[in-house]
Amino acid sequence: MSETALDRVSAALGRQQGGAHFWLRPLSLLSGPTAEAAVAAKDALPLAGGSLGLAFAQVEIVARDTASESGMIGAAVSFDRARRWAAASGVAARYESQLEALTAPRAPWASLDFSRPRIMGILNVTPDSFSDGGDHLDASAAIAAGRAMLEAGADILDVGGESTRPGALPLDPAEEIRRVESVVRELANAGAMISIDTRHAATMRAALAAGARIINDVTALTGDPESLSVAARSQAPVVLMHMLGDPRTMQDDPTYACAPLDILDYLQQRIEACIAGGVPRTRIVVDPGIGFGKRLRHNLQVMSRLSLLHLTGCPILLGASRKSFISSAVHQGTPAKARLAGSLAAALSALDQGVQILRVHDVAETWQAAEVWRGIRAV
């Protein structure tokens, strides 16, 4: 009998040290009436409780494999085959717990449900961000841009005062606060849901006091020893992002055993640390950190398996807008503001994997693409 993909996964598990660790990735995604009918017939399971109206009919059983160039190996199987394999391999408990994480409903986050894709508009009040540095440095220009994003369909405005582009140096929180405080206050007073994009606890406090409701931290609340306590005490929803190293050094030589699984492991560890520190899972969104300590191959590997992040039990945010991997993928020196097509391709790929929040520069165009995607999926 020839060796199957599942046999190869079993062999890879047998070579692991410290126990057989595997992960489930949802496959064969269905939507609309097809998904509803398949779930009712027990031929599919709701993805993240049916957020975005999606369900999945198969799983990929994934294991680490040092013999593979990507560091992983997988086998796509039916639920019945997966359960029988898990029982025979003595890993039924892990299988069932992961299936529960994939299917559990996601509670509304920052009062937003996930019946449709949510759009977070990027509003950098900086002179040196990689794409829009200097565009909104003046507070009045930033406020006008924020209002335009809201009119174009943004659900959240992500206001940042410190560039975290590759090679960027840390900014004094006092200057960061000076840049963002009036912008946050004005837009919050206008009814906008504001996220503060910062890795500094002092800036978090100031922005929350000015009306921000969400903390978006590229260091996953590790960059400042007071950040976790600020998040816990404020009861603000948070975005935990993966970054390898810090902006000054993250692109020097990023190395992974397996980028998708390494990032998943890191985010799960940060979720557990946040829960222990007083931030419940229901207030957490995860972000794989495209471009933060990742080469082109790492970014593409992560993008191709974003649905693994549903195993965290949290909603997923993707920030791929205008990132340099888009230019690298087509071997062109395309400037950041000319990467709209690639940004939309990344966004639609993410939606097809159940990603609930898109963090973007081009709000109107992304909203239109997401609405067309949703219309097609609905029928």
Side-chain angles (χ1 to χ4, degrees):
M1 182 180 296
S2 62
E3 184 183 44
T4 67
L6 199 51
D7 292 330
R8 291 191 287 274
V9 169
S10 296
L13 290 175
R15 294 191 292 269
Q16 289 183 6
Q17 302 295 320
H21 297 297
F22 66 91
W23 296 263
L24 298 181
R25 184 168 75 98
L27 293 180
S28 302
L29 264 62
L30 308 171
S31 60
T34 304
E36 293 173 6
V39 170
K42 299 185 178 179
D43 293 328
L45 294 171
L47 180 61
S51 70
L52 306 189
L54 300 178
F56 60 106
Q58 283 188 306
V59 290
E60 181 184 28
I61 301 174
V62 177
R64 290 184 180 274
D65 183 16
T66 56
S68 169
E69 183 179 355
S70 66
M72 65 193 300
I73 187 171
V77 293
S78 67
F79 298 132
D80 181 63
R81 180 72 183 92
R83 279 198 173 93
R84 288 188 279 114
W85 171 85
S89 303
V91 292
R94 182 176 175 87
Y95 173 84
E96 293 297 338
S97 68
Q98 293 208 358
L99 208 59
E100 182 179 356
L102 292 177
T103 59
R106 304 306 189 245
W109 180 81
S111 78
L112 299 173
D113 65 40
F114 297 110
S115 58
R116 63 175 178 85
R118 297 296 179 171
I119 296 177
M120 175 185 280
I122 299 170
L123 188 57
N124 288 319
V125 192
T126 64
D128 55 348
S129 290
F130 82 95
S131 172
D132 56 356
D135 288 358
H136 311 128
L137 185 57
D138 176 74
S140 60
I143 292 164
R147 290 181 183 274
M149 288 181 187
L150 294 173
E151 293 177 3
D155 298 288
I156 305 166
L157 298 179
D158 193 39
V159 178
E162 177 189 37
S163 174
T164 51
R165 75 191 190 287
L169 298 175
L171 182 69
D172 185 332
E175 172 60 17
E176 184 182 25
I177 293 168
R178 187 194 67 76
R179 293 177 182 178
V180 303
E181 193 169 30
S182 63
V183 176
V184 169
R185 181 175 292 107
E186 184 72 20
L187 290 171
N189 287 341
M193 181 177 296
I194 303 297
S195 167
I196 182 63
D197 176 8
T198 183
R199 50 181 168 159
H200 303 293
T203 307
M204 294 175 192
R205 290 193 194 95
L208 292 169
R213 295 176 55 189
I214 299 166
I215 296 170
N216 179 14
D217 185 355
V218 297
T219 73
L221 299 179
T222 66
D224 186 315
E226 297 182 19
S227 293
L228 180 51
S229 64
V230 170
R233 291 173 184 170
S234 68
Q235 301 185 14
V238 300
V239 179
L240 304 180
M241 197 195 80
H242 173 274
M243 175 171 57
L244 194 64
D246 63 55
R248 288 173 295 183
T249 62
M250 63 186 181
Q251 294 303 113
D252 288 354
D253 185 25
T255 302
Y256 297 86
C258 173
L261 295 180
D262 291 355
I263 290 166
L264 173 59
D265 282 349
Y266 172 84
L267 289 171
Q268 287 182 318
Q269 291 166 9
R270 290 306 306 150
I271 290 167
E272 293 306 316
C274 288
I275 292 172
V279 180
R281 191 183 303 269
T282 53
R283 280 172 36 208
I284 297 173
V285 157
V286 295
D287 175 355
I290 298 298
F292 283 80
K294 300 167 185 71
R295 297 293 190 193
L296 173 62
R297 66 182 182 278
H298 304 136
N299 289 313
L300 295 179
Q301 287 168 357
V302 172
M303 287 292 303
S304 72
R305 286 182 168 81
L306 286 170
S307 54
L308 278 168
L309 295 179
H310 290 295
L311 287 169
T312 63
C314 300
I316 305 167
L317 179 150
L318 180 74
S321 177
R322 300 185 183 178
K323 293 288 178 69
S324 62
F325 87 95
I326 295 168
S327 178
S328 299
V330 293
H331 308 292
Q332 295 178 351
T334 311
K337 291 183 180 179
R339 297 172 189 163
L340 174 60
S343 299
L344 294 177
L348 294 175
S349 174
L351 293 180
D352 274 336
Q353 297 184 68
V355 169
Q356 294 98 339
I357 307 172
L358 302 172
R359 181 179 181 272
V360 302
H361 298 85
D362 302 292
V363 170
E365 294 84 350
T366 307
W367 180 88
Q368 184 180 86
E371 285 299 294
V372 172
W373 175 90
R374 191 159 70 106
I376 294 169
R377 280 288 192 177
V379 297

